[in-house]
Amino acid sequence: MDLTKYVQQVSRDDFGWDFTHTAHWNNRLQTTGGRFFPKDGHLDFNPKLYAEHGLDVFRKIVRHELCHYHLYFQKKGYKHGDEDFKNLLAKVDGLRYAPPTQSAQKAYRYHYECKVCGQEYWRKRRIDVRKYRCGKCRGKLDIAE
């Protein structure tokens, strides 16, 4: 797949605006789906996410990075916390967070689950379940298998 041409197509189809810079694969990316570089306007993408999750999820990652790209060049709020970014991302149905890769999932040794709402938490270090509660509903946490 020619990545730059694919990103140009997604930009035209989903945003109605042209992508005039380049897009590259970056094998060093671990937990992020992609990166936007305001200095020269190019985009980097994680090839592992494309390989593991397919074209549908990858297209949503491309939309996310294109939101940064287009808003930056329109001199609007292009960062994650900016209202312009959140609105455009919702409008084009982009992913807010990249899904974890298999290599990233293996790094987590401890799996906790809320007894009340079922929210799951993956941690590299042990936590004291007597001290910490669920961030969603304040329920008790338990070690899941």
Side-chain angles (χ1 to χ4, degrees):
M1 167 194 329
D2 185 2
L3 186 58
T4 300
K5 286 185 180 178
Y6 179 72
V7 173
Q8 288 171 342
Q9 176 194 345
V10 171
S11 182
R12 267 186 257 106
D13 294 348
D14 298 344
F15 292 84
W17 300 318
D18 288 332
F19 175 72
T20 57
H21 291 80
T22 59
H24 309 283
W25 294 113
N26 186 342
N27 289 312
R28 293 182 315 263
L29 296 178
Q30 297 294 316
T31 58
T32 184
R35 286 193 303 190
F36 165 60
F37 294 85
K39 189 173 183 179
D40 64 356
H42 84 274
L43 302 176
D44 276 1
F45 291 100
N46 188 340
K48 291 173 229 147
L49 286 172
Y50 173 63
E52 291 178 17
H53 296 283
L55 192 59
D56 290 337
V57 171
F58 184 69
R59 186 178 182 106
K60 291 183 180 194
I61 294 169
V62 171
R63 289 178 190 151
H64 177 106
E65 296 310 319
L66 283 171
C67 286
H68 290 298
Y69 175 85
H70 289 304
L71 289 171
Y72 176 79
F73 288 111
Q74 292 173 9
K75 298 189 180 352
K76 294 182 180 177
Y78 69 96
K79 296 180 180 176
H80 287 124
D82 295 333
E83 200 64 34
D84 292 330
F85 178 81
K86 290 178 182 178
N87 292 338
L88 184 59
L89 189 65
K91 182 180 172 187
V92 297
D93 188 31
L95 280 181
R96 181 80 169 103
Y97 302 103
T101 59
Q102 289 177 352
S103 59
Q105 284 178 337
K106 290 177 186 174
Y108 298 110
R109 293 179 52 194
Y110 300 100
H111 180 208
Y112 299 93
E113 188 173 353
C114 176
K115 291 181 179 180
V116 179
C117 69
Q119 175 71 31
E120 293 181 319
Y121 298 94
W122 292 88
R123 296 291 180 264
K124 291 182 180 181
R125 296 183 181 189
R126 261 177 83 122
I127 62 170
D128 185 357
V129 294
R130 294 171 295 170
K131 183 178 176 182
Y132 293 98
R133 298 287 188 125
C134 175
K136 190 173 177 185
C137 74
R138 311 298 297 154
K140 286 189 175 186
L141 297 177
D142 195 18
I143 296 176
E145 297 299 325

